[in-house]
Amino acid sequence: MRSENTFGVRYAIRQNKNKRKAYSVFARIACNNSPERELTIKGSFPPEDWDEGKGWPHLRTKELREFATHLEKVKSKLTAIFQELELKEGILSADNIKNHYSGIGPDVERVTMLQLTKLAYKKFARELKKGSIKNYGATNGYIER
């Protein structure tokens, strides 16, 4: 099944207004045609170490490679938040994803596999045939054990 929701994270640097020589790295979060939101990742980044075309640091030194790994982790966390909100049928917007990443707003409730299968059993009980519903019941039994 294909998702109808859109999500993307890209990185950019921008010169700080108060310090002429300092640049900051931002993650730009885009989700479902809501306005993009920016999240500051790192301040005081040298612009000569940034590849503007790729939106990624040059991988010349060990520190830059470590920073690129950090950016991958940030993107992974943001993607996980998006997927979690999508599964929970939460509000999918760039603001909401940024707030969850920053720890602002309501916590997203964790769901166990047993709770998920019971929810699916209730949701599809009328739509599926008797044999399929029996299989859902058996799966719930295996997970409970």
Side-chain angles (χ1 to χ4, degrees), residues 75-136:
K75 186 174 183 176
S76 296
K77 286 179 185 178
L78 291 169
T79 304
I81 290 168
F82 168 76
Q83 290 172 343
E84 193 170 2
L85 287 173
E86 189 176 35
L87 282 175
K88 293 234 171 247
E89 297 178 3
I91 299 170
L92 290 171
S93 69
D95 272 332
N96 205 11
I97 293 169
K98 177 183 174 183
N99 290 341
H100 274 77
Y101 181 83
S102 301
I104 302 170
D107 288 335
V108 176
E109 183 182 324
R110 303 281 182 219
V111 178
T112 65
M113 185 63 129
L114 181 61
Q115 291 170 332
L116 193 61
T117 56
K118 286 184 178 181
L119 180 68
Y121 183 84
K122 289 177 188 175
K123 185 175 182 178
F124 298 116
R126 294 187 179 140
E127 297 175 21
L128 297 175
K129 295 189 178 189
K130 189 176 180 180
S132 297
I133 294 299
K134 184 184 101 184
N135 292 341
Y136 270 100

Side-chain angles (χ1 to χ4, degrees), residues 42 45 49 56-71:
K42 181 179 181 180
F45 192 84
D49 289 338
W56 202 251
H58 292 290
L59 303 177
R60 293 188 280 239
T61 64
K62 181 181 177 186
E63 290 81 20
L64 290 173
R65 285 190 293 275
E66 288 174 356
F67 183 61
T69 303
H70 175 68
L71 292 179

